[in-house]
Amino acid sequence: MIPYPTTPGEYRHNMLTARRWMHVCLDAGEYEEAKRLLAKAARCARIADEIEQERKAAA
């Protein structure tokens, strides 16, 4: 994952990485970790959407 994302694309990359690991955790029975990763993926998607909206509003 990108440690300090600054663009919507980097946040989406982190979202997809978190979702990928979430599925690995689900397969391994690590449900608490999977829930944490799901929350992280949702947070990254929300931030990416917010950045895109801000850029559209500024343009």
Side-chain angles (χ1 to χ4, degrees):
M1 278 194 255
I2 299 168
Y4 299 103
T6 57
T7 66
E10 291 172 343
Y11 275 104
R12 293 203 191 287
H13 171 81
N14 283 356
M15 175 198 67
L16 292 172
T17 302
R19 287 184 59 189
R20 207 171 297 127
W21 280 107
M22 177 194 70
H23 288 286
V24 170
C25 290
L26 286 173
D27 290 342
E30 297 287 335
Y31 300 113
E32 292 301 316
E33 183 66 11
K35 282 175 30 179
R36 187 188 70 76
L37 289 168
L38 178 61
K40 182 174 187 165
R43 184 173 57 249
C44 287
R46 181 182 45 80
I47 292 170
D49 289 341
E50 287 174 2
I51 292 171
E52 287 179 345
Q53 290 299 321
E54 288 174 6
R55 288 184 179 178
K56 285 180 183 176

